[in-house]
Amino acid sequence: GKSVLYCVFLHLQYSFSYMTEKHFLIESSDPALFYGVNNANLRLLRALCPKLRIVARDNVVRVIGSEEDMAAFDETFAALDRHCAKYNRLAEEDIINILKHRTAESDANSDTIVYSTGGRPIAPRSANQRKLVEAFRTNDMLFAVGPAGSGKTYTAIALAVRALKNKEVKKLILSRPAVEAGEKLGFLPGDMKEKIDPYLRPLYDALEEMIPPAKLQEYIETNVIQIAPLAFMRGRTLNDAVVILDEAQNTTSAQIKMFLTRMGWNTKMIITGDRTQIDLPHSVRSGLIEAIELLRGIPGIAFIEMDKGDIVRHKLVTRIVEAYEGANNRHYEEGKQ
């Protein structure tokens, strides 16, 4: 009897001597999405990898097993993390497909830029939005000009998020001029951040559709994503980034020149604006209009002109834009007489 127990002890000792422990970090995706509701994905992963002991806490997955099984899991874990980050979801069928080395979804010949937090594909929805996506591949600076609702800012942010997820850049910088359109900042309640945030809210809204809340908060806290008024750009050189200037029609000549000259190495800039919504005093010329006139024809700079045909909001938005365009044209003709 003692000899049998001794043999069992030696076998166990031999087995454990070949066990190894490794910690895997969930770096690209949101741990809550990775683990699933009530840790359903984690339980499935344990069931599909019975030879491994898998324990998770926060964004660290601790795995114990043989070196051979661990090597196979290493590849699987990286694929799961990439899938979760790319599609903003990780379903049971995705896990099974990845473990069986099958591609869960193919983006071949797809217009998809990124996926929303609900897993919905975000893709260009008009010809000019598609031109913006194509121009981003081949140019370092883009001007996207068009009416409200034409998707210029939303598409620009989607392109920036994709570049960040693909590790093409290290940070995203989004900015707007804080123009006092009808309200004086000094009379608004709160500290400076609370006064400025309403101007930047549309940028937050777009990001919240594309990046899970916990991951977005992490990016903002670590300055991977920076959202700030245009004045905060002064004196900086922006490297390894996608930089977006929204509502550029409300910049002065000096402001937009300051912004454009912040460009550093491995940086792409997207400048968006709407000529019909200039909130500057009548005596001040829009920096956006001046920049388009001065820079047109320079290699590496692309200009995308959007119109009411690109509007993807409620159908009434198109009619409202048409009504204001008609009124502006009538005033112009009356002024000539």
Side-chain angles (χ1 to χ4, degrees):
K2 289 183 179 179
S3 61
V4 171
L5 287 172
Y6 182 68
C7 289
V8 170
F9 172 75
L10 287 177
H11 175 73
L12 290 173
Q13 190 178 40
Y14 177 81
S15 299
F16 279 112
S17 67
Y18 281 87
M19 290 292 180
T20 183
E21 178 177 327
K22 187 171 181 180
H23 291 186
F24 296 87
L25 293 179
I26 301 172
E27 295 182 306
S28 303
S29 55
D30 183 349
L33 288 176
F34 190 94
Y35 298 143
V37 179
N38 296 323
N39 288 332
N41 291 344
L42 199 56
R43 290 198 300 273
L44 176 60
L45 205 52
R46 287 172 182 147
L48 294 171
C49 305
K51 294 181 181 180
L52 297 172
R53 184 167 179 238
I54 303 173
V55 180
R57 184 171 182 176
D58 297 328
N59 70 328
V60 180
V61 179
R62 179 169 158 257
V63 183
I64 301 171
S66 69
E67 290 187 4
E68 184 181 352
D69 292 331
M70 194 72 76
F73 185 80
D74 201 333
E75 184 182 336
T76 297
F77 182 87
L80 291 170
D81 193 25
R82 284 195 305 270
H83 181 96
C84 190
K86 181 176 183 179
Y87 298 106
N88 280 321
R89 71 161 195 266
L90 189 62
E92 290 187 2
E93 59 268 26
D94 299 328
I95 296 171
I96 293 167
N97 282 331
I98 289 169
L99 259 71
K100 291 182 178 179
H101 303 289
R102 294 202 300 257
T103 303
E105 291 193 41
S106 174
D107 284 333
N109 302 317
S110 170
D111 285 338
T112 301
I113 304 170
V114 290
Y115 288 80
S116 73
T117 51
R120 175 181 59 84
I122 294 173
R125 296 173 62 183
S126 71
N128 285 322
Q129 287 182 19
R130 197 166 284 107
K131 285 181 184 176
L132 179 57
V133 174
E134 291 297 324
F136 186 78
R137 292 194 183 101
T138 55
N139 296 272
D140 290 334
M141 185 177 290
L142 292 82
F143 285 80
V145 181
S150 56
K152 53 191 183 296
T153 302
Y154 193 77
T155 305
I157 291 177
L159 289 167
V161 169
R162 182 180 68 182
L164 182 64
K165 287 191 172 191
N166 290 347
K167 295 181 169 49
E168 296 165 13
V169 295
K170 294 179 181 177
K171 55 184 177 283
L172 306 186
I173 300 171
L174 290 73
S175 186
R176 272 184 157 201
V179 173
E180 302 175 79
E183 290 182 354
K184 295 292 182 183
L185 283 175
F187 290 102
L188 294 175
D191 58 20
M192 182 53 69
K193 183 180 185 302
E194 291 169 331
K195 293 174 191 288
I196 292 295
D197 269 359
Y199 289 99
L200 307 175
R201 188 68 247 173
L203 305 178
Y204 284 104
D205 289 343
L207 287 171
E208 285 168 358
E209 281 196 45
M210 302 175 200
I211 302 174
K215 198 68 183 175
L216 178 57
Q217 187 63 32
E218 177 194 325
Y219 281 150
I220 291 172
E221 288 174 357
T222 56
N223 286 325
V224 172
I225 294 180
Q226 301 170 32
I227 307 173
L230 179 58
F232 285 59
M233 296 295 109
R234 188 173 298 279
R236 303 181 65 186
T237 300
L238 308 173
N239 296 315
D240 292 311
V242 176
V243 189
I244 296 174
L245 175 60
D246 192 35
E247 299 289 345
Q249 76 276 1
N250 288 326
T251 60
T252 64
S253 175
Q255 285 175 329
I256 201 164
K257 180 184 176 184
M258 177 273 292
F259 175 82
L260 297 177
T261 53
R262 300 306 94 199
M263 191 171 195
W265 297 107
N266 190 38
T267 291
K268 285 181 180 276
M269 283 187 164
I270 308 177
I271 299 93
T272 68
D274 178 359
R275 290 188 181 92
T276 67
Q277 293 192 27
I278 298 173
D279 295 319
L280 295 168
H282 291 297
S283 59
V284 179
R285 193 182 187 208
S286 167
L288 174 66
I289 293 173
E290 183 179 70
I292 290 173
E293 291 174 358
L294 291 173
L295 303 179
R296 196 177 291 278
I298 294 178
I301 303 179
F303 298 85
I304 312 299
E305 297 281 347
M306 296 180 169
D307 53 38
K308 57 181 178 285
D310 297 297
I311 294 176
V312 292
R313 292 182 187 169
H314 194 284
K315 59 186 178 183
L316 280 177
V317 176
T318 305
R319 295 171 188 169
I320 291 167
V321 170
E322 287 174 343
Y324 274 92
E325 281 183 354
N328 288 338
N329 290 337
R330 284 195 299 275
H331 290 150
Y332 177 74
E333 291 300 327
E334 289 170 4
K336 288 171 62 178
Q337 294 174 2

